[in-house]
Amino acid sequence: MNRTDRLYALVEELRAVSPRPRSARWLAARFEVSSRTIERDIGALQEAGVPIWAEPGRTGGYALDRARTLPPVNLTAAEAVAMAVALHRLAGTPFAGPGATALRKLVAVLPAADAAEAHRLAGRVHLIGDGPATPVPATVADAVAARRVLRIGYADRAGADSIRDVEPLGYLGNPRHWYLLAWCRMRDELRCFRTDRIRSVRALPDVVVREFRPTDLDIPHGRVRSLSLV
């Protein structure tokens, strides 16, 4: 059994007995590898976002939270690779990290043969460049998700620096740049801050209560559309 097949089988074994744990020694015997190999495999699954935890003690071992995992997913190899190509365009966006972990979770629950075929197909796809060139600072992404006020150091178009307290309301993206949509307390108005001009970020304890309204943007109706999950 190769490693890809074993990782998939490990998840299914732990899902089948959840919430009871399996020891590394038991899993090693089951898959005919060393306990150290099982520990490395479990570590790789945990890094991929699979909710596996270790229970200490003589009767402990590794357990999986079935409620937070996916059953086997019926994705074709081409569909899995299409998702990976789409995620390439997320580089530099607030969702690059979560997108990568989501893809790893999906690949982890693909049937072994489909996962192997997806890896083979992905090896035939070649890309140039790393996607958009304007990264979104992780602190900004976290603040938008948690609705926390930020104190940012920002350089305007002329290069002049300023410190501003802003209430993050969302993002505005175009093919070249990502912007933080935020209510600027200094100017008492909605502003678009280009993320590559944000020099420093600090989250403040204040919670954002203001809501974004598309009519607050000085952009003609119809040129901006909200992201949809369907």
Side-chain angles (χ1 to χ4, degrees):
M1 179 183 292
N2 62 37
R3 188 168 190 250
T4 298
D5 292 346
R6 189 173 63 250
L7 291 175
Y8 170 79
L10 269 171
V11 172
E12 289 309 298
E13 176 63 38
L14 293 177
R15 187 200 308 280
V17 299
S18 176
R20 291 178 290 126
R22 289 290 197 205
S23 69
R25 179 179 297 180
W26 192 97
L27 292 168
R30 166 70 175 78
F31 295 106
E32 299 180 342
V33 294
S34 68
S35 295
R36 180 59 182 153
T37 297
I38 291 296
E39 290 169 359
R40 285 196 295 266
D41 287 349
I42 293 293
L45 289 169
Q46 289 172 327
E47 289 181 6
V50 180
I52 298 173
W53 71 91
E55 292 191 356
R58 185 173 59 84
T59 59
Y62 294 107
L64 181 142
D65 185 351
R66 179 184 289 187
R68 296 180 56 203
T69 61
L70 295 169
V73 176
N74 187 26
L75 285 181
T76 68
E79 288 170 338
V81 172
M83 293 177 65
V85 172
L87 286 173
H88 174 72
R89 296 299 302 164
L90 286 181
T93 76
F95 306 104
T101 57
L103 180 61
R104 288 197 293 269
K105 288 177 182 179
L106 285 172
V107 172
V109 296
L110 282 177
D114 293 340
E117 179 58 29
H119 283 290
R120 284 192 291 270
L121 180 57
R124 304 184 196 117
V125 178
H126 307 281
L127 304 169
I128 296 176
D130 295 323
T134 57
V136 175
T139 307
V140 171
D142 292 343
V144 172
R147 298 182 63 80
R148 295 283 299 278
V149 175
L150 292 175
R151 179 163 294 161
I152 64 172
Y154 188 73
D156 65 16
R157 186 179 303 176
D161 292 325
S162 62
I163 302 294
R164 311 174 187 218
D165 288 358
V166 301
E167 302 175 30
L169 303 179
Y171 305 104
L172 180 66
N174 65 29
R176 296 184 59 193
H177 301 292
W178 276 85
Y179 297 84
L180 172 66
L181 291 172
W183 194 267
C184 180
R185 290 182 169 180
M186 182 172 68
R187 297 193 178 186
D188 195 31
E189 63 181 3
L190 181 71
R191 303 285 293 177
C192 295
F193 298 96
R194 228 174 77 175
T195 56
D196 59 329
R197 293 179 180 164
I198 297 176
R199 307 302 192 204
S200 62
V201 187
R202 181 161 68 90
L204 302 179
D206 309 42
V207 176
V208 176
V209 295
R210 194 185 306 270
E211 296 292 340
F212 170 70
R213 298 176 302 176
T215 53
D216 290 332
L217 282 174
D218 187 20
I219 298 177
H221 178 71
R223 290 193 60 190
V224 178
R225 67 182 186 276
S226 297
L227 181 67
S228 173
L229 295 181
V230 296

